[in-house]
Coordinates of all heavy atoms in Angstrom, one line a residue:
Y652 N -42.3 31.8 40.4 CA -42.2 30.4 39.9 C -42.5 29.4 41.0 O -42.0 29.6 42.1 CB -40.9 30.2 39.3 CG -40.7 28.8 38.6 CD1 -41.2 28.6 37.4 CD2 -39.9 27.8 39.3 CE1 -41.1 27.3 36.8 CE2 -39.8 26.6 38.7 CZ -40.4 26.3 37.5 OH -40.2 25.1 36.9
S675 N -39.5 17.3 39.3 CA -38.7 18.4 38.6 C -37.9 17.8 37.4 O -37.0 18.4 36.9 CB -37.7 19.1 39.6 OG -38.4 19.7 40.6
N676 N -38.2 16.6 37.0 CA -37.6 16.0 35.8 C -36.1 15.9 35.9 O -35.4 16.3 35.0 CB -38.0 16.7 34.5 CG -39.5 16.8 34.4 OD1 -40.3 16.0 35.0 ND2 -40.0 17.7 33.6
A727 N -26.0 29.8 33.9 CA -26.3 29.0 35.0 C -27.6 28.3 34.8 O -28.7 28.7 35.4 CB -26.3 29.8 36.3
G728 N -27.7 27.3 33.9 CA -28.9 26.7 33.6 C -29.5 27.4 32.4 O -29.2 28.6 32.1
S729 N -30.5 26.7 31.7 CA -31.0 27.4 30.6 C -32.0 28.5 31.0 O -32.1 29.6 30.3 CB -31.8 26.5 29.6 OG -32.3 25.4 30.2
E730 N -32.5 28.4 32.2 CA -33.3 29.6 32.7 C -32.6 30.9 32.8 O -33.1 31.9 32.5 CB -34.0 29.2 34.1 CG -33.0 29.0 35.2 CD -33.6 28.7 36.5 OE1 -34.8 28.4 36.6 OE2 -32.8 28.8 37.5
A731 N -31.3 30.8 33.2 CA -30.4 32.0 33.2 C -30.2 32.5 31.8 O -30.0 33.7 31.6 CB -29.1 31.7 33.9
F733 N -32.4 32.3 29.3 CA -33.6 33.0 28.9 C -33.5 34.5 29.4 O -34.0 35.4 28.7 CB -34.9 32.3 29.5 CG -35.0 30.9 29.1 CD1 -35.7 30.0 30.0 CD2 -34.5 30.3 28.0 CE1 -35.8 28.6 29.7 CE2 -34.6 29.0 27.6 CZ -35.3 28.2 28.5
F754 N -43.5 26.8 29.0 CA -42.7 26.7 30.2 C -42.8 28.1 31.0 O -42.5 29.1 30.4 CB -41.3 26.4 29.9 CG -40.4 26.1 31.1 CD1 -40.8 25.2 32.1 CD2 -39.2 26.7 31.2 CE1 -40.0 25.0 33.2 CE2 -38.4 26.5 32.3 CZ -38.8 25.6 33.3
F757 N -40.5 31.4 30.9 CA -40.5 32.3 29.7 C -41.2 33.6 30.1 O -40.7 34.7 29.7 CB -41.2 31.7 28.5 CG -40.7 30.4 28.0 CD1 -41.4 29.5 27.3 CD2 -39.3 30.1 28.2 CE1 -40.9 28.3 26.8 CE2 -38.8 28.9 27.7 CZ -39.6 28.0 27.0
A797 N -40.6 25.9 23.4 CA -39.9 24.8 24.0 C -40.3 23.5 23.2 O -41.4 23.3 22.9 CB -40.4 24.6 25.4
P799 N -39.3 19.4 23.1 CA -40.7 19.4 23.5 C -41.0 20.4 24.6 O -40.1 20.8 25.3 CB -40.8 17.9 24.0 CG -39.5 17.5 24.3 CD -38.6 18.2 23.5
N800 N -42.3 20.6 24.8 CA -42.7 21.6 25.8 C -42.8 20.9 27.1 O -43.2 19.7 27.2 CB -44.0 22.2 25.4 CG -44.5 23.2 26.4 OD1 -43.8 24.1 26.7 ND2 -45.7 23.1 26.9
N801 N -42.5 21.6 28.2 CA -42.8 21.2 29.5 C -43.9 22.2 30.0 O -43.6 23.4 29.9 CB -41.5 21.3 30.4 CG -41.8 21.2 31.8 OD1 -42.8 20.6 32.3 ND2 -40.9 21.6 32.7
D828 N -36.0 26.2 22.9 CA -35.6 25.6 24.1 C -35.6 24.0 24.0 O -36.7 23.4 23.9 CB -36.6 26.1 25.2 CG -36.4 25.3 26.5 OD1 -35.5 24.5 26.7 OD2 -37.3 25.5 27.4
A830 N -34.4 21.6 26.2 CA -34.0 21.1 27.4 C -34.1 19.5 27.4 O -33.4 18.9 28.1 CB -34.8 21.6 28.6
Y831 N -35.1 19.0 26.7 CA -35.3 17.5 26.7 C -34.9 16.9 25.4 O -35.2 15.7 25.1 CB -36.8 17.2 27.0 CG -37.2 17.8 28.3 CD1 -37.9 19.0 28.4 CD2 -37.0 17.1 29.5 CE1 -38.2 19.5 29.6 CE2 -37.3 17.6 30.7 CZ -38.0 18.8 30.8 OH -38.3 19.3 32.0
T859 N -29.4 22.2 28.2 CA -29.1 22.2 29.7 C -28.4 20.9 30.0 O -28.5 19.8 29.4 CB -30.4 22.3 30.5 OG1 -30.1 22.3 31.9 CG2 -31.4 21.1 30.2
F860 N -27.6 21.0 31.1 CA -27.0 19.8 31.7 C -27.8 19.2 32.9 O -27.4 18.3 33.6 CB -25.6 20.1 32.2 CG -24.6 20.3 31.1 CD1 -24.4 21.6 30.5 CD2 -23.9 19.2 30.6 CE1 -23.5 21.7 29.4 CE2 -23.0 19.4 29.5 CZ -22.8 20.6 29.0
S861 N -29.0 19.9 33.1 CA -29.8 19.5 34.3 C -30.6 18.2 34.1 O -31.0 17.6 35.1 CB -30.9 20.6 34.5 OG -30.3 21.8 34.7
K862 N -30.8 17.8 32.9 CA -31.7 16.6 32.7 C -30.9 15.4 32.4 O -30.7 14.6 33.2 CB -32.7 17.0 31.5 CG -33.4 18.3 31.7 CD -34.4 18.3 32.9 CE -34.9 19.6 33.2 NZ -35.7 19.7 34.4
R870 N -26.3 24.0 38.1 CA -26.8 25.1 37.3 C -25.8 25.3 36.1 O -24.9 26.2 36.2 CB -27.0 26.4 38.1 CG -27.7 26.3 39.4 CD -29.1 25.6 39.2 NE -29.9 26.2 38.3 CZ -30.5 25.6 37.2 NH1 -30.3 24.3 37.0 NH2 -31.2 26.2 36.4
I871 N -26.0 24.6 35.1 CA -25.2 24.8 33.9 C -26.0 24.5 32.6 O -26.6 23.4 32.5 CB -23.9 24.1 34.0 CG1 -23.0 24.3 32.7 CG2 -24.0 22.6 34.3 CD1 -22.1 25.4 32.8
G872 N -25.9 25.4 31.6 CA -26.6 25.2 30.4 C -25.9 26.0 29.3 O -24.9 26.8 29.7
Ligands
PLP287 C1 -38.7 23.2 29.0 C2 -37.7 23.5 30.0 N1 -36.8 24.5 29.7 C3 -35.8 24.8 30.5 C4 -35.7 24.3 31.8 C5 -34.7 24.8 32.7 O1 -33.6 24.1 32.9 P1 -32.3 24.5 33.6 O2 -32.2 23.6 34.7 O3 -31.3 24.4 32.6 O4 -32.5 26.0 34.0 C6 -36.6 23.3 32.2 C7 -36.5 22.7 33.5 O5 -37.4 22.0 34.0 C8 -37.6 22.9 31.2 O6 -38.5 22.0 31.6

Side-chain angles (χ1 to χ4, degrees):
Y652 182 76
S675 301
N676 305 341
S729 31
E730 59 177 17
F733 305 149
F754 186 51
F757 299 157
N800 182 52
N801 169 20
D828 169 7
Y831 300 96
T859 182
F860 287 90
S861 300
K862 309 294 173 188
R870 313 307 305 126
I871 178 89

